[in-house]
Amino acid sequence: MAEPFPRTPTFSGYNEPCRIEADVFDLEVEGELPSALEGTFYRCGPDPCFPPRLGDDINLNGDGMVMMFRFAAGHVDMRSRYVRTERFRLERAARRALYGAYRNPFTDDPRVAGKDRTTANTNVVYHAGRLLALKEDGLPHELDPDTLETRGRLDYGGKLQSLTATAHPKTDPASGAMISHGYEARGLATREISLQFISPRGELEREDLFLAPYVSMMHDWAVTARHLVFPLMPTTADAERMRRGGPHWVFEPGLDAQIGILRRDADPADLRWYRAPPCGVGHILNAFSEGDRLYVDIFVSERNQFPFIANADGSPFDRAKSTPRLTRWSFDLSRPAPRFEARTLFGEFMEMPAIDPRYQMHPYRHGFCTAVDRSRPLDVAGTLGVGWNTLVHVDVAAGRLDRYYVGEKTTCQEPCFAPRSPDAPEGEGFILAQLTRFEGHLRTEIIVLDAQRLAAGPIATIRVPFRLRAAVHGHWVPRSVLDAARA
Amino acid sequence: MAEPFPRTPTFSGYNEPCRIEADVFDLEVEGELPSALEGTFYRCGPDPCFPPRLGDDINLNGDGMVMMFRFAAGHVDMRSRYVRTERFRLERAARRALYGAYRNPFTDDPRVAGKDRTTANTNVVYHAGRLLALKEDGLPHELDPDTLETRGRLDYGGKLQSLTATAHPKTDPASGAMISHGYEARGLATREISLQFISPRGELEREDLFLAPYVSMMHDWAVTARHLVFPLMPTTADAERMRRGGPHWVFEPGLDAQIGILRRDADPADLRWYRAPPCGVGHILNAFSEGDRLYVDIFVSERNQFPFIANADGSPFDRAKSTPRLTRWSFDLSRPAPRFEARTLFGEFMEMPAIDPRYQMHPYRHGFCTAVDRSRPLDVAGTLGVGWNTLVHVDVAAGRLDRYYVGEKTTCQEPCFAPRSPDAPEGEGFILAQLTRFEGHLRTEIIVLDAQRLAAGPIATIRVPFRLRAAVHGHWVPRSVLDAARA
């Protein structure tokens, strides 16, 4: 029998698995889609195929589902497909979950011992004609950008030594090269970090491995035109703990954060580590180098952000201390002492950032993210229990916020920026975001806003005729880029 | 822009278009699926791709969507696909509706003049290794039984003269031959009926054309081991009326019904027409011949059943007079005078019948249908505005009904019978039926009941993770039959 999912918070309401591999042609649109919006909005998120092996689970442990919304001539079509990871194929063949707890192989069914555990469920990135589904605990999976069919695991023709690659590789808008890293590169709870330089044509040009001071959940990182930034927070892994059935991650409030900085053209032996008090580090909005100065705009909290990660000292999860705030780290690399400044740019509860990708790695002004506006009703617990109810445009030059409150009983997800044209000024274009409405029946919408006028509300609202589960990250790929790769 | 559908009853609530071409692996099941249930439950219904060209429409005019539920080893997977009719392809290319009113080509966009209008949206039947999507206004469309990909329009290698084939062909359980007809066989509002004999191997063996007394909406008909029964009701078509923008069908309360009877091995010149007072005729439960006697168990109403069909005398639609009741027509074919008896078997509001297909054309005992139990809340208007709230097992031998009331705010659709095994006694097996629940968010379920114990309620309930639009008809195909065709 095909068992129902447990009705725990991870598997019910907003988080109920969707599991639908869907094609819907010509979605209904209220308002008018801008004619400049020609391209594809790709998203990726966890959507568990089977009820959990251990009775319950955490949200991030679901199978990777990739969704695409293709915009052309004022119309939009959608498709969603699971990534055919080894795990997906093994469990589908067995018609049940064989893998156990999040990132703990010691909880698996023995028949999948040694098999790939990644779900490829965190991000989807387009590079060099390849659409890559990514999760930081395994290799990228390549998908067909049109059909979303899985082509296979990407190890660059067997050249890559690392067993992992981050869900946040960075593409240099100037050269088209992609730079990636993989932590736990040699296997479970190993300290090796792999640094991966991919050419604009998609070849692995160089891989360097180095040892981190400790094994940290380095979900995001930063790349500038000249530097690499590895922010380690004291959320640490330990193989022995896992062997005893414990979790992959524990937050250690007594352990300093460490930020590794390396010139892009240097050897990892030159890595310099900067210490900071224990903190939780989240996503990076952007980072850039100016002379000997390096600036990293990053979401930082006092403690780890995730309710499912325990504190090593046994203290309970503290929502206030886990609030991420956009913080600018400033490094003067000419100084002999490895010290840096941290300044909170905005006090608001914000995260899940996006920028104009043409300004990635460079001085920039415009950022976009989700926020929790506490002056509004917080009647909905969305992704990871956070009631994201507002989309925000962050003007880091003017120190100004422009907001769009998405409405009662509604939650929003990570915004995505699509430039109005290849040569439009920075931040001129559109914000795309997925909403879930909790009225009567759960509904999904994709809203389109003028990126410079968020408060004016959506230009167009796209109705998805079923409830999509929350995705994590996504990107916009202009039609010209997809067409060029096909030619 | 991709216009939203109008919020008229045809396109909202229960009738809101679904439009999702979906694959869902291993649907959640409450209860346990019987291990004997190995095969595929196919269904077909209208699901409009685009907002109507004329501002509103009737439910039956939507594009054909075929759904399959494949049962094996206590699991069930589902898939849904549109039938790629010529109409579907033309409208999809234009990204809008080009065809106008239901079965009136004079309301179409001129660019589709002369193009196939059928939506293939009424039934899906498996015969001779072919899965056929059917609607009575066009040719069958052949689909791949596993992928539901459309293979094309079926005209038996160019041999078929008729432009139409009924959605209710009958397969002889003894020989495997399929017998079909097509009314309006020579085109719009033509009186020709085509009679089509298809061999067990799927070849057109014989086609006879004959003239009906008038052009009638002959949606269903009957075939016994020895006879063919053509029930014409006075719901008639007129090309001139359509040319003036009027409807395809009008009910003429002043015109007699006529029932044509022909031996299967005879020439249509031998057709004999029996007259009956004007009435609405619906689906046929079963029919059989015994010596010179012929029995037809058919749903008959005083007037036409469809609110969207006007009465020629201008009288309003009368729900009471449109109530279908299971009626036995008895013909003594040895008598010179063409008279017959009609006896109401059950007074209940019932329709959408199914039988054990191994007893099709033969004396039988067990039938299944949907019913409206007026002693229960009728808070839901389902298919065609009828609040089907009960599944019924009709024992025609004992004159007994066994019922399952599907619950408040729930509507059920046509049951489907799956025998427990190839040699199980008649009616021993399972009833499958699609439910839509109107609690909070609209939900679809497929329920499985013991066909001989409906009142005991479902053995298993299969949860579909989205709302399917109502289908019209469907069938069960045992795995052994599908496997044999593949081999």
Side-chain angles (χ1 to χ4, degrees), chain A residues 265-455:
Chain A
D265 57 1
D267 186 277
D270 294 344
L271 247 170
R272 201 164 174 203
W273 293 97
Y274 292 69
R275 280 177 179 267
C279 63
V281 301
H283 290 102
I284 282 149
L285 180 61
N286 203 4
F288 55 97
S289 305
E290 279 184 336
D292 284 329
R293 299 273 179 166
L294 169 62
Y295 302 97
V296 180
D297 292 349
I298 183 166
F299 291 93
V300 179
S301 51
E302 291 176 66
R303 288 289 180 98
N304 106 80
Q305 314 93 317
F306 299 113
F308 64 85
I309 295 179
N311 293 314
D313 61 6
S315 60
F317 179 73
D318 183 333
R319 172 56 74 200
K321 286 189 175 169
S322 77
T323 300
R325 289 188 181 85
L326 185 57
T327 303
R328 175 160 289 184
W329 287 345
S330 306
F331 300 83
D332 182 346
L333 305 175
S334 66
R335 294 202 178 184
R339 278 208 289 274
F340 70 102
E341 280 171 29
R343 180 167 63 93
T344 301
L345 296 183
F346 297 95
E348 273 80 0
F349 188 154
M350 300 195 293
E351 242 284 6
M352 305 306 281
I355 52 164
D356 184 331
R358 300 168 303 164
Y359 288 77
Q360 172 121 283
M361 311 184 178
H362 293 279
Y364 76 110
R365 176 171 181 176
H366 301 289
F368 305 93
C369 44
T370 54
V372 178
D373 182 345
R374 294 202 163 97
S375 74
R376 304 283 197 166
L378 282 173
D379 45 5
V380 169
T383 312
L384 296 170
V386 177
W388 304 113
N389 62 7
T390 299
L391 292 166
V392 173
H393 168 206
V394 176
D395 182 332
V396 290
R400 218 169 34 212
L401 298 181
D402 179 28
R403 305 153 192 270
Y404 173 63
Y405 166 66
V406 295
E408 286 184 31
K409 294 190 179 166
T410 303
T411 179
C412 58
Q413 297 175 39
E414 183 190 79
C416 173
F417 176 80
R420 190 178 300 276
S421 66
D423 55 0
E426 186 202 342
E428 293 275 341
F430 307 100
I431 286 297
L432 304 168
Q434 180 178 326
L435 304 189
T436 304
R437 298 204 182 271
F438 294 75
E439 314 149 3
H441 47 303
L442 288 161
R443 284 262 180 192
T444 306
E445 292 171 0
I446 306 291
I447 56 172
V448 181
L449 303 101
D450 182 331
Q452 294 300 317
R453 299 180 65 228
L454 290 196

Side-chain angles (χ1 to χ4, degrees), chain A residues 203-225:
Chain A
E203 291 142 353
L204 179 68
E205 285 190 324
R206 190 178 124 204
E207 181 181 14
D208 291 329
L209 282 114
F210 62 90
L211 279 182
Y214 55 82
V215 189
S216 164
M217 185 173 80
M218 184 169 50
H219 173 69
D220 200 357
W221 68 318
V223 177
T224 74

Side-chain angles (χ1 to χ4, degrees), chain A residues 219-253:
Chain A
H219 173 69
D220 200 357
W221 68 318
V223 177
T224 74
R226 289 191 292 120
H227 296 99
L228 308 166
V229 181
F230 303 94
L232 307 189
M233 65 174 155
T235 297
T236 64
D238 175 59
E240 198 40 55
R241 181 175 65 224
M242 286 184 246
R243 200 166 281 119
R244 294 192 307 265
H248 192 104
W249 299 118
V250 162
F251 184 80
E252 301 192 49

Side-chain angles (χ1 to χ4, degrees), chain B residues 161-182:
Chain B
Q161 299 173 65
S162 178
L163 300 174
T164 63
T166 178
H168 289 290
K170 309 289 179 182
T171 298
D172 192 319
S175 68
M178 185 169 82
I179 310 180
S180 186
H181 82 261

Side-chain angles (χ1 to χ4, degrees), chain B residues 30-97:
Chain B
E30 279 170 53
E32 198 151 343
L33 290 174
S35 59
L37 210 52
E38 293 260 336
T40 306
F41 180 28
Y42 293 105
R43 310 201 72 214
C44 183
D47 197 347
C49 288
F50 296 102
R53 176 169 151 77
L54 304 175
D56 199 3
D57 206 342
I58 63 165
N59 190 284
L60 296 178
N61 207 19
D63 299 274
M65 178 74 95
V66 174
M67 294 150 254
M68 63 184 261
F69 298 88
R70 182 153 286 178
F71 294 73
H75 294 263
V76 55
D77 307 325
M78 75 156 290
R79 169 166 287 181
S80 59
R81 291 291 185 275
Y82 273 117
V83 185
R84 265 59 181 171
T85 60
E86 184 171 35
R87 172 178 176 139
F88 175 94
R89 288 181 280 114
L90 289 166
E91 294 194 330
R92 182 169 271 214
R95 285 187 177 271
R96 53 188 294 265

Side-chain angles (χ1 to χ4, degrees), chain B residues 8-31:
Chain B
T8 61
T10 298
F11 298 102
S12 52
Y14 179 77
N15 287 317
E16 189 178 330
C18 165
R19 308 203 301 142
I20 307 169
E21 295 190 295
D23 285 271
V24 189
F25 187 83
D26 230 353
L27 295 168
E28 287 182 87
V29 180
E30 279 170 53

Side-chain angles (χ1 to χ4, degrees), chain B residues 28-272:
Chain B
E28 287 182 87
V29 180
E30 279 170 53
E32 198 151 343
L33 290 174
S35 59
L37 210 52
E38 293 260 336
T40 306
F41 180 28
Y42 293 105
R43 310 201 72 214
C44 183
D47 197 347
C49 288
F50 296 102
R53 176 169 151 77
L54 304 175
D56 199 3
D57 206 342
I58 63 165
N59 190 284
L60 296 178
N61 207 19
D63 299 274
M65 178 74 95
V66 174
M67 294 150 254
M68 63 184 261
F69 298 88
R70 182 153 286 178
F71 294 73
H75 294 263
V76 55
D77 307 325
M78 75 156 290
R79 169 166 287 181
S80 59
R81 291 291 185 275
Y82 273 117
V83 185
R84 265 59 181 171
T85 60
E86 184 171 35
R87 172 178 176 139
F88 175 94
R89 288 181 280 114
L90 289 166
E91 294 194 330
R92 182 169 271 214
R95 285 187 177 271
R96 53 188 294 265
L98 299 172
Y99 291 78
Y102 178 66
R103 297 180 74 169
N104 184 341
F106 303 106
T107 61
D108 293 348
D109 186 306
R111 79 184 96 165
V112 295
K115 303 291 185 186
D116 194 353
R117 300 189 92 250
T118 194
T119 52
N121 72 7
T122 314
N123 201 354
V124 62
V125 162
Y126 185 84
H127 182 252
R130 292 184 181 122
L131 186 68
L132 303 177
L134 299 157
K135 187 182 183 83
E136 63 203 46
D137 67 350
L139 294 180
H141 282 68
E142 186 183 344
L143 312 179
D144 183 295
D146 297 322
T147 65
L148 300 185
E149 201 179 328
T150 303
R151 289 179 176 159
R153 208 153 47 184
L154 180 65
D155 63 2
Y156 301 97
K159 278 196 201 164
L160 194 72
Q161 299 173 65
S162 178
L163 300 174
T164 63
T166 178
H168 289 290
K170 309 289 179 182
T171 298
D172 192 319
S175 68
M178 185 169 82
I179 310 180
S180 186
H181 82 261
Y183 71 83
E184 301 192 33
R186 294 287 195 192
L188 200 69
T190 54
R191 273 171 58 208
E192 277 89 349
I193 292 177
S194 150
L195 184 54
Q196 303 157 14
F197 294 88
I198 322 297
S199 77
R201 299 183 52 185
E203 291 142 354
L204 180 69
E205 285 191 324
R206 188 176 124 204
E207 180 181 13
D208 291 328
L209 282 113
F210 62 90
L211 279 182
Y214 55 81
V215 189
S216 163
M217 186 173 80
M218 185 168 49
H219 174 69
D220 199 357
W221 67 319
V223 177
T224 75
R226 289 191 293 120
H227 296 99
L228 308 167
V229 182
F230 304 94
L232 306 189
M233 65 174 153
T235 297
T236 64
D238 175 60
E240 197 42 52
R241 181 174 67 223
M242 287 184 244
R243 200 166 281 120
R244 294 191 307 265
H248 192 103
W249 299 120
V250 163
F251 185 79
E252 301 193 49
L255 189 64
D256 276 355
Q258 295 205 38
I259 300 139
I261 293 179
L262 180 67
R263 279 209 332 276
R264 276 169 61 163
D265 58 0
D267 186 277
D270 294 344
L271 249 170
R272 197 160 177 206

